[in-house]
Amino acid sequence: MRKLLNHLMSGYGALFFIFLYAPVLLVVIYSFNSNPVNVMIWKEFSFDWYINLFGGDTGLSDSTAYVESTDQLLAALKVSLTVAAFATLVSTVLGTSVAVAIARYRFKLQGFYRLLLMVPMVMPDIVLGIALLIFFIGVGMNLGVTSIVIGHCTFLTSYVFIVVSARLAGMNPMIESASADLGASEWQTFRRVTLPLILPGVIGGALLSFIISMDDLVITYFISGVDATTLPVFIMSMIRRGIKPEINAIATMMLMASVLIASAGIYFKSRKA
């Protein structure tokens, strides 16, 4: 009976993962489809749309009708990388600092502050996006790269906080006490003892923040200006004008980058000091 139950559970588990990842796999497969008219009808294997993205000549006479401007694509990618880099840096510093403060110090409303750091993670993206838009308009800030960076930091800090807090929870606080007993200042203890021990968690949180920032669409859509279009927003604008073969190629490249960065983040998060 137990063996039968295990087989059934294994079968349901396989069906679940097929249901979850089959659409993603189809995007990857059809990114190599040379059919420029209907991307869902297989014609032959080709790298045409990857070549088109980087301004190459595929030899397809009608492919230019489906190719977005390479300059616009690269500009959107540049904006996404710039935003992700700055947002990751700021959120990593803030998230790590708050995690250490809450884990190592006792003060009033400590639980309330911890709750506030959880809220951006569970708040619907559209609510946060509208709230940030109203805030930026209210303070007279022009929408652009700066507003996107600030907006991303509001929720990325929470992810870093969670990852670093988990790392701190598994760390023996007596090590820091021993450092203080040996005459080290609080800054020396943090720099030479605490930070090296939590560094895998910090790096994991930073990589997770980077990939979330690169993939964010809803919040960025509300707080991005005319001259600051990120790659996800750019892809959405392409879809509005019809599904084009280049979309599958772009989505595949973003998927591969997300998997690599997320894997590195998980590795550093679980790595022992």
Side-chain angles (χ1 to χ4, degrees), residues 18-228:
I18 291 174
F19 172 78
L20 190 64
Y21 290 106
V24 179
L25 182 61
L26 285 176
V27 169
V28 176
I29 293 174
Y30 281 105
S31 69
F32 299 102
N33 180 18
S34 64
N35 193 338
V37 179
N38 192 329
V39 297
M40 298 305 295
I41 297 179
W42 185 265
K43 185 177 181 181
E44 62 181 2
F45 185 89
S46 174
F47 290 99
D48 290 334
W49 312 120
Y50 291 92
I51 298 173
N52 271 346
L53 288 176
F54 297 99
D57 183 11
T58 62
L60 297 177
S61 58
D62 55 349
S63 65
T64 55
Y66 295 88
V67 180
E68 288 289 334
S69 170
T70 303
D71 292 337
Q72 292 178 349
L73 172 65
L74 294 179
L77 178 60
K78 181 180 179 180
V79 171
S80 289
L81 291 173
T82 301
V83 169
F86 281 102
T88 298
L89 178 61
V90 175
S91 60
T92 300
V93 173
L94 292 177
T96 302
S97 302
V98 175
V100 173
I102 291 181
R104 292 295 181 259
Y105 299 96
R106 295 294 177 264
F107 49 88
K108 293 182 179 180
L109 300 178
Q110 185 174 14
F112 178 70
Y113 288 124
R114 187 184 295 272
L115 176 62
L116 287 180
L117 286 165
M118 302 289 187
V119 170
M121 296 179 60
V122 298
M123 183 182 298
D125 288 348
I126 190 170
V127 174
L128 185 57
I130 294 174
L132 288 169
L133 175 61
I134 295 174
F135 171 77
F136 290 138
I137 293 177
V139 299
M141 178 181 290
N142 294 326
L143 299 181
V145 174
T146 302
S147 63
I148 301 175
V149 171
I150 296 175
H152 284 196
C153 288
T154 58
F155 60 90
L156 293 180
T157 300
S158 299
Y159 287 95
V160 178
F161 169 77
I162 294 297
V163 175
V164 177
S165 294
R167 188 73 184 184
L168 284 167
M171 175 182 165
N172 188 355
M174 297 303 295
I175 300 177
E176 296 170 312
S177 299
S179 175
D181 291 339
L182 292 173
S185 64
E186 290 186 357
W187 170 246
Q188 288 176 326
T189 299
F190 174 77
R191 183 167 59 89
R192 297 184 178 182
V193 178
T194 307
L195 184 58
L197 290 174
I198 66 173
L199 188 58
V202 174
I203 296 176
L207 292 175
L208 181 62
S209 298
F210 183 86
I211 201 62
I212 293 175
S213 177
M214 285 289 296
D215 292 343
D216 183 75
L217 170 62
V218 178
I219 297 175
T220 306
Y221 177 78
F222 283 99
I223 60 177
S224 60
V226 178
D227 298 328

